[in-house]
Amino acid sequence: MTVDSSMSSGYCSLEEELEDCFFTAKTTFFRSVQSKRPSKNVCKPAEETRPPPTLQEIKQKIQSYNSREKECLRMKLSEDGTYTGFIKVHLKLRRPVTVPAGIRPQSIYDAIKEVNLAATTAKRTSFYLPLDAIKQLHISSATTVSEVIQGLLKKFMVVDNPQKFALFKQINKDGQVLFQKLSVADCPLYLRLLAGPDTDVLSFVLKENETGEVEWDDFSIPELQNFLTILEKEERDKIQQVQKKYDKFRQKLAEALRESQGKPG
């Protein structure tokens, strides 16, 4: 698998991400009032398992795919029935990642020789990856979700446990944007082949792997300090939102009072 710098859990709606919430460690803390209403992150039955395609079916699908591909990112079929191609992964990580401190950027030589720069120092620091950045990967039909995640982390020299992350497929259905967490054994290129080259039909997203449990021991001191910083910022933002809301109400009430006082009794 090369990196270009340029199905198992069920679906959840994009709307759930827009709720008032904040993200700490490995869980999402929602307002208590939300527990009184149905959750929007509703799991749907997993898709039916399809029989493996024949070599002729794969060949036909690749020909159809390549005829619709407009960015010269075509798939290539090998004699043994495997094939290679490209996928694009959107990075939507809300938390800081851990990387080696004081290391030079990876060179072309390092990439070719697969030099592990992270192993050259024990110092660690945390920073935020650009939100919604897109990375293009060249993979084979045998490349699994687990290998895709590891490849992305290696590209950014992230030393966090790969199990902290999950790959999702994003689809548009009935006017809604839906996410489905993929199994670590799924093969993204096969899903790309079935869906076609249109990323509006199917795209891949790397997000935090929400387990529902807070495993504090998995995080370093810099990470925990960053979480506190995030919470403090969200608290300030929420206070400002509430203040603006009530300032607006106060202004409207004052205007209504002036209008009522100006009217004849």
Side-chain angles (χ1 to χ4, degrees):
M1 175 178 64
T2 59
V3 181
D4 186 351
S5 60
S6 52
M7 286 253 208
S8 61
S9 287
Y11 293 107
C12 61
S13 171
L14 178 63
E15 293 177 1
E16 64 92 10
E17 291 192 352
L18 303 180
E19 296 291 343
D20 293 331
C21 58
F22 48 88
F23 301 83
T24 304
K26 282 195 168 184
T27 190
T28 301
F29 296 94
F30 289 88
R31 297 175 298 177
S32 58
V33 68
Q34 289 184 331
S35 61
K36 299 179 182 179
R37 64 189 184 193
S39 173
K40 295 181 180 179
N41 187 1
V42 178
C43 292
K44 297 184 177 181
E47 297 177 353
E48 295 183 2
T49 304
R50 302 182 182 183
T54 64
L55 180 58
Q56 184 61 29
E57 289 175 336
I58 292 176
K59 184 176 181 180
Q60 291 175 351
K61 287 182 180 296
I62 290 178
Q63 289 175 346
S64 174
Y65 181 98
N66 290 342
S67 67
R68 291 176 288 159
E69 171 55 51
K70 300 178 180 179
E71 298 183 11
C72 299
L73 302 177
R74 297 184 175 183
M75 294 193 185
K76 183 178 180 181
L77 180 63
S78 302
E79 294 181 356
D80 60 0
T82 61
Y83 48 96
T84 58
F86 296 87
I87 63 170
K88 294 180 180 179
V89 180
H90 296 250
L91 305 181
K92 293 187 177 181
L93 301 176
R94 297 179 179 272
R95 304 178 192 138
V97 295
T98 306
V99 297
I103 284 188
R104 59 177 174 79
Q106 187 181 42
S107 66
I108 295 177
Y109 173 84
D110 296 329
I112 294 176
K113 297 296 183 179
E114 298 186 350
V115 176
N116 185 8
L117 295 177
T120 62
T121 178
K123 296 181 179 179
R124 298 290 184 259
T125 187
S126 297
F127 82 106
Y128 289 91
L129 289 174
L131 186 62
D132 209 21
I134 300 176
K135 289 298 171 184
Q136 184 171 283
L137 309 177
H138 184 248
I139 62 177
S140 77
S141 56
T143 303
T144 64
V145 164
S146 177
E147 292 169 330
V148 167
I149 293 174
Q150 292 177 32
L152 287 169
L153 298 184
K154 184 177 180 181
K155 170 64 179 177
F156 291 102
M157 293 190 291
V158 175
V159 296
D160 291 310
N161 190 329
Q163 294 182 358
K164 291 183 180 181
F165 307 91
L167 192 68
F168 291 76
K169 70 175 184 179
Q170 176 181 315
I171 64 173
N172 295 298
K173 186 176 182 180
D174 300 329
Q176 279 191 313
V177 178
L178 304 175
F179 291 94
Q180 183 184 23
K181 181 180 174 182
L182 299 176
S183 164
V184 292
D186 285 334
C187 297
L189 193 62
Y190 178 61
L191 300 177
R192 179 81 277 161
L193 177 63
L194 293 180
D198 189 353
T199 54
D200 289 334
V201 175
L202 170 73
S203 57
F204 297 103
V205 180
L206 182 71
K207 303 171 69 176
E208 283 86 1
N209 187 16
E210 302 291 350
T211 65
E213 298 178 357
V214 182
E215 299 177 11
W216 299 108
D217 292 340
D218 288 345
F219 297 93
S220 63
I221 296 300
E223 285 181 306
L224 295 175
Q225 291 172 337
N226 274 321
F227 294 147
L228 289 175
T229 301
I230 293 171
L231 289 178
E232 290 171 356
K233 180 180 182 301
E234 290 179 345
E235 181 183 23
R236 291 194 300 269
D237 291 344
K238 181 59 66 176
I239 291 173
Q240 290 178 359
Q241 291 175 13
V242 173
Q243 288 176 336
K244 288 180 180 179
K245 177 180 178 181
Y246 282 95
D247 286 344
K248 192 173 183 179
F249 286 160
R250 189 178 295 108
Q251 181 181 358
K252 289 183 177 180
L253 286 173
E255 292 175 354
L257 283 173
R258 287 195 296 268
E259 291 177 359
S260 64
Q261 291 173 353
K263 293 180 180 180

